[in-house]
Amino acid sequence: MPAHDTDRTEPDRTEPVDPADPLSRERAHLSASRSALRAMREDVENLDIKDVTANWVNAVVLTAQIEDRIKALADLSHTPLFFGRLDYLHTVGAAEAEGSAGERPLPEAAEMRVYIGRRHVHDADGDPMVIDWRAPVSQPFYRASKKDPQDVGLRRRFGYTAGELTAYEDEHLSDTDTASDTDATSDTGAAHTSKLLQAEIERPRVGPMRDIVATIQPEQDEIVRAGLSGSVCVQGGPGTGKTAVGLHRVAYLLYAHRDRLARTGTLVIGPNKSFLHYIEQVLPALGELEVKQATVDDLVTSGDGAGIEIRGTDEAAAAVIKGDARMAEVLRRAVRSHVTPPTESLMVVRGSRRWRVPAYELEEIVGELQARDIRYGAAREALPQRIAHQILVRMEEAGEAPDDRVQDAVARNAAVKAVVKAIWPPVDPAKLVLRLLADAEFLAEHADGVLTPAEQSTILWAKPARSPKSAKWSAADAVLIDEARDLVARTHSLGHVVLDEAQDLSPMQYRAVGRRCSTGSATILGDLAQGTTPWATASWAEALTHLGKPDALVEELTAGFRVPRDVIAYASRLLPHMSPGLAPVSSVRESPGDMSVQQVADEADLNDSIVAACEAALTHEGSIGLIAADARIPDLAKALEAAGHAFLSPGEETTAASRLTLVPASLAKGLEYDYVVLDEPTAIVTGEPDERTGLRRLYVALTRAVSGLAVRHSAPLPPALTT
C-alpha cells in the first residue's frame, strides 16, 4: 500500500483480503482507517459557519480553531496511522476506554481488539477504529507484561517500510489467549527483545527528531503519564530518551487536561534555536499544534521585555556572578530603595473643603505596604487608594456620605498623584540594572554583605552605556532585567513548562523559568554529566530549589536506547573524571555500533583524514554529523569545500540529498546523528575554560552518535580515554 499524502483526495486502492493471511487483514484495516481519517478531515473542511457566529470576532476565532483541527487530522505520509494492537481477554468498560479528550468510548459489544495510534480515528457511525496512544485503554500497550498482563491476551507490533505495513510481531501475555491469527508469527517474549521494536529504535534518521510513541518503554511511560499537579525532574544520560519523554508528556497532558491547559498555556524551553528546530516536528506529528517553543533568552527579551537586545557577552567570571541567586537580593534592595518615607503632610482640596493627611499617617501606610512585601508596582497602585481611604474616613466623620466613586476621584487627585510619585516613584527595570552595572556606589550600597568588593568589581561595566537602548546587554544581564521586572510586576504563569538541557542553567535563569510556571507545573529534563557552562548546576535539589519546585519528583533513566554499546562505554570513561558518582548509561542496543579511533601523523594530515571519514560515513544510510571544537570549524569547512562536499549548519534540516552537518561542539548538545565524525578530542577539551567543562563538552560530542562513531586526532587523546 502506498504512503498517503496529506492532500490526497482520491479513494484508497483496495486490495483483495485473504482471510487466512493476518497481514492482509491488517493492511485492510489500515486502508479503512486512512479512509475514515480522510472522511473526518473532510467533515471539518465542509463545515459552514456563516450562520453560526454572532460577529466577525467569533468568526475569526472559530475559523482558526477549524484550521487547527484540519491540521491535526492530517494523514502524514511518513508516520504510520497505527503501530500496535491489543487483544483484551474481557470487555473493556466505557470508563476504561473513554479518554479525557471527549472521544466516544468503545461499544460494549465490540470485539475487544484495540488498534493503538498517534491519534483517534472513528468510522461513520462514530465507533473507534484507532485509539489515541494517550487514552487509558492504550496504556497496557506500554506497560503490560507476562507478570502483569493487565487483561491483555495479545500485544501486536507493526513494522512499516516507506509507509507500507510490511510486518507484524506478536507477544502472548496470557496462556489463556487463543486468538487464531496470532500463530502467524512466533512469540518474541518480553518487550525489550522485540525485533520490530529494536529495529524502530535503531532506524536511521534524516531530518528533524521524530516521535518515539511506538517505542515508549514502561519506565518512560510512567513519567509521560504523571499527573499535571506535580512537577517531575528527569535525570537521563545520552540516548535514554529524556527529551522525547518530555515532549510526549506535553502531548499526554494536553490530551488529559486540554481545557485547563488551553486556558493556562504550555511552553517547551530548549538551550538554543538549533535544538528547537530539531525537535519542532515531534508535537505536530502527535496532533498537538499549539505548544510554543523558546529559549531562555527568548523568554527574557520578548513580551514585556521587548526592546532588550542581547548584543554583548560576559567573561565567564562575570557571568557566574550575574547568574548567582544572590543577585536576586541585590535587585530586591535596589528596587525597594526607590521608596522615600514621607516628611510632609498631604492636603487635598475638594470644593470648599480641605482634607489633611499628616506625614505620620502617610508613613504608616507606606510601612504597611512595605511589610506586606508585595510587588513594587502593585504597592504603588495601592498607595493612592489607601491615602484616599484615609480622606474618606475624615469625610464620614464630618457627616458626609462618600461612595467608591468619591474614593476613586480622590485617588486621582493631582496632590495625591504628586505625593505618590514622590514617595513611591515608578521603576524602569532596564534602567535599574543599567545603574547597578554602571554605578559603583549604587551597586556597593545594595550589594553590601551580599557580594564581596571583588565580585562587585567583576560585574561592573568598564564602559557604562548612556541608556538601556545603547547598552550591549549580555544574556546574563537580560535575566537580571527579567528579575527586576518581576519585582515590579508579577510575571504571567503558564499551566505547564518543559525545560530541556536544564543542567546548564544558572540559578537566576532557573528563577526566570520558575516565574513562568509559578502557579503551574514543570517537567525538567537534563543530565548532570552534560553540564558545560561555568555555572552548571551541581545537583537537581539545588536546581529545583531555584526553580521554585523543591518538591518535584526526581526520576532517573539509565537505559540507553539510541547510543550503541561500544560508543557509550567509550564515552563513559570520562565520567569518573568529570561527574564522579553518576551512574553510567547501560545501552540496551543489540548492535555494538561501528566505532573507530585513529591517530594521524601530524595536524597537516588531520583534515584529509576527517574528509575521508566523512566520505566513508556517507556510504551508509542516515545523517552524518562532523563535530569539532568551535575554533576548528573554519578549517574543516574549507577542507570539505575543497573536497567538493556540501554541508549544512546545525538547525538546517537534513534531507536524503544533503546529509552532512558541520557542528561546532558548543551547539552539539541535544542533537543526534546516525554517524558522527569527531575531530581532535583534545581541542574540544582545551577550548573550554577548565578541564571538567572540557571533558563534559567532549562527553556530549561523543554521545551524539546513533549508529557509528569515527574519532580522528593528531594530538594525544585526553588521558581518561586512554585508560
Side-chain angles (χ1 to χ4, degrees):
M1 185 192 315
H4 284 64
D5 186 85
T6 56
D7 296 324
R8 178 177 173 180
T9 57
E10 72 273 21
D12 288 316
R13 183 181 68 188
T14 58
E15 299 179 0
V17 179
D18 181 358
D21 180 10
L23 193 58
S24 176
R25 297 205 305 273
E26 299 295 12
R27 286 172 174 165
H29 186 76
L30 176 61
S31 179
S33 299
R34 287 196 183 280
S35 296
L37 178 61
R38 187 165 55 252
M40 291 170 61
R41 190 181 187 199
E42 290 172 353
D43 287 344
V44 180
E45 290 173 333
N46 294 331
L47 287 175
D48 184 358
I49 64 170
K50 63 182 180 181
D51 296 326
V52 176
T53 55
N55 52 59
W56 69 270
V57 176
N58 291 342
V60 169
V61 173
L62 186 55
T63 299
Q65 292 174 341
I66 290 174
E67 290 175 352
D68 288 344
R69 179 62 175 163
I70 292 171
K71 292 177 183 178
L73 290 172
D75 188 0
L76 304 178
S77 60
H78 60 282
T79 28
L81 191 55
F82 58 78
F83 48 81
R85 193 185 95 186
L86 293 176
D87 289 3
Y88 279 91
L89 297 175
H90 304 91
T91 300
V92 178
E96 295 171 283
E98 188 174 13
S100 297
E103 295 174 354
R104 180 170 174 170
L106 297 172
E108 290 291 341
E111 180 182 15
M112 289 326 301
R113 178 169 296 168
V114 179
Y115 287 85
I116 313 298
R118 286 169 172 76
R119 56 177 59 82
H120 176 84
V121 179
H122 60 253
D123 61 18
D125 296 324
D127 293 329
M129 300 183 71
V130 179
I131 299 294
D132 194 301
W133 66 275
R134 297 167 288 186
V137 73
S138 303
Q139 182 171 314
F141 182 78
Y142 302 106
R143 298 198 193 181
S145 64
K146 287 192 173 182
K147 290 184 178 180
D148 180 21
Q150 301 186 24
D151 203 39
V152 174
L154 174 81
R155 173 166 50 206
R156 173 168 288 181
R157 300 180 189 275
F158 296 105
Y160 289 81
T161 302
E164 182 180 359
L165 200 165
T166 56
Y168 71 94
E169 185 178 68
D170 287 343
E171 184 179 359
H172 298 270
L173 300 180
S174 173
D175 294 335
T176 62
D177 179 62
T178 57
S180 61
D181 65 357
T182 59
D183 297 330
T185 70
S186 61
D187 183 3
T188 59
H192 68 274
T193 64
S194 164
K195 293 181 180 179
L196 288 181
L197 183 64
Q198 194 73 30
E200 174 63 20
I201 290 173
E202 299 181 11
R203 178 161 57 95
R205 67 178 65 208
V206 172
M209 180 181 179
R210 59 176 181 258
D211 64 74
I212 63 163
V213 64
T215 62
I216 293 173
Q217 298 299 292
E219 64 273 19
Q220 296 173 326
D221 190 62
E222 289 183 9
I223 298 171
V224 167
R225 296 178 191 264
L228 177 61
S229 59
S231 295
V232 180
C233 176
V234 182
Q235 158 65 38
T240 56
K242 57 184 179 295
T243 295
V245 166
L247 295 175
H248 286 68
R249 175 159 163 72
V250 172
Y252 170 77
L253 292 175
L254 285 168
Y255 177 89
H257 307 278
R258 189 168 302 279
D259 290 344
R260 177 176 172 184
L261 290 179
R263 294 192 306 269
T264 57
T266 53
L267 176 68
V268 174
I269 303 173
N272 52 57
K273 296 292 187 181
S274 298
F275 176 85
L276 293 178
H277 183 75
Y278 177 61
I279 68 171
E280 67 183 357
Q281 294 303 317
V282 174
L283 288 168
L286 298 172
E288 300 300 342
L289 307 172
E290 298 300 319
V291 181
K292 295 181 180 179
Q293 298 180 349
T295 65
V296 173
D297 289 349
D298 293 333
L299 293 184
V300 299
T301 58
S302 61
D304 292 337
I308 299 301
E309 183 181 355
I310 297 176
R311 297 186 297 152
T313 57
D314 285 314
E315 295 292 335
V320 169
I321 297 170
K322 290 179 181 179
D324 195 297
R326 293 176 296 165
M327 287 300 300
E329 173 60 19
V330 176
L331 288 166
R332 191 192 71 82
R333 292 180 181 182
V335 169
R336 293 291 174 176
S337 70
H338 287 75
V339 178
T340 302
T343 57
E344 297 181 359
S345 61
L346 166 67
M347 188 69 70
V348 175
V349 179
R350 280 185 59 81
S352 61
R353 302 293 298 271
R354 293 187 177 189
W355 306 98
R356 178 175 173 274
V357 181
Y360 76 87
E361 285 192 11
L362 293 175
E363 189 173 359
E364 288 176 357
I365 294 172
V366 171
E368 180 188 351
L369 289 173
Q370 287 180 311
R372 291 182 59 190
D373 200 27
I374 58 177
R375 296 296 194 283
Y376 184 91
R380 187 174 188 275
E381 291 177 0
L383 181 56
Q385 290 290 338
R386 296 294 181 89
I387 294 172
H389 177 72
Q390 292 297 103
I391 293 176
L392 256 66
V393 170
R394 285 167 170 74
M395 290 180 177
E396 291 171 348
E397 290 174 346
E400 296 188 14
D403 56 18
D404 291 343
R405 289 175 297 178
V406 174
Q407 179 168 328
D408 290 339
V410 172
R412 294 192 301 269
N413 182 276
V416 174
K417 286 183 176 181
V419 79
V420 168
K421 185 176 181 180
I423 296 174
W424 213 293
V427 171
D428 182 301
K431 290 181 179 179
L432 175 77
V433 174
L434 179 63
R435 187 180 178 190
L436 276 173
L437 298 177
D439 186 335
E441 291 184 2
F442 187 69
L443 176 61
E445 177 185 355
H446 302 298
D448 182 41
V450 180
L451 301 179
T452 67
E455 289 174 324
Q456 296 173 32
S457 177
T458 299
I459 64 173
L460 277 171
W461 285 348
K463 296 181 179 180
R466 294 184 177 180
S467 69
K469 288 188 177 181
S470 65
K472 290 187 177 180
W473 299 110
S474 68
D477 296 335
V479 176
L480 295 180
I481 295 171
D482 188 71
E483 178 84 25
R485 192 181 302 120
D486 184 72
L487 289 167
V488 174
R490 183 182 297 276
T491 303
H492 173 68
S493 174
L494 300 167
H496 192 78
V497 168
V498 173
L499 174 62
D500 206 349
E501 300 297 345
Q503 72 282 342
D504 277 333
L505 269 60
S506 71
M508 291 298 286
Q509 287 176 317
Y510 281 123
R511 290 174 62 90
V513 174
R515 288 191 283 275
R516 271 73 184 182
C517 56
S518 58
T519 59
S521 56
T523 299
I524 303 97
L525 313 166
D527 179 13
L528 296 177
Q530 296 185 58
T532 52
T533 57
W535 49 83
T537 189
S539 71
W540 290 122
E542 176 185 330
L544 293 171
T545 298
H546 294 310
L547 192 70
K549 307 292 182 185
D551 298 327
L553 179 66
V554 180
E555 298 279 4
E556 186 171 8
L557 297 175
T558 58
F561 300 98
R562 298 295 295 166
V563 185
R565 285 203 311 267
D566 287 0
V567 173
I568 195 64
Y570 184 69
S572 293
R573 295 181 186 179
L574 301 173
L575 284 177
H577 304 274
M578 62 183 197
S579 298
L582 202 62
V585 172
S586 176
S587 177
V588 300
R589 294 276 297 271
E590 292 183 358
S591 169
D594 297 330
M595 181 174 161
S596 65
V597 180
Q598 294 181 11
Q599 183 172 13
V600 298
D602 53 52
E603 187 175 349
D605 297 328
L606 182 58
N607 287 355
D608 291 339
S609 179
I610 288 293
V611 171
C614 289
E615 292 172 343
L618 285 166
T619 63
H620 298 282
E621 182 183 3
S623 57
I624 295 91
L626 169 54
I627 304 178
D630 291 28
R632 285 274 295 155
I633 293 297
D635 285 347
L636 292 176
K638 292 178 181 178
L640 290 173
E641 291 169 351
H645 294 295
F647 57 88
L648 305 169
S649 298
E652 295 183 289
E653 186 170 330
T654 55
T655 65
S658 184
R659 298 184 289 129
L660 174 62
T661 302
L662 181 56
V663 187
S666 62
L667 296 180
K669 192 171 298 179
L671 305 179
E672 284 184 347
Y673 301 93
D674 287 289
Y675 287 84
V676 166
V677 177
L678 185 66
D679 170 82
E680 201 66 276
T682 297
I684 293 176
V685 176
T686 57
E688 298 296 328
D690 57 79
E691 184 182 26
R692 188 187 74 162
T693 303
L695 291 175
R696 288 184 171 182
R697 184 77 71 188
L698 177 58
Y699 180 76
V700 170
L702 287 168
T703 53
R704 300 307 92 197
V706 172
S707 297
L709 171 68
V711 179
R712 300 293 182 265
H713 65 103
S714 60
L717 291 172
L721 292 180
T722 60
T723 56

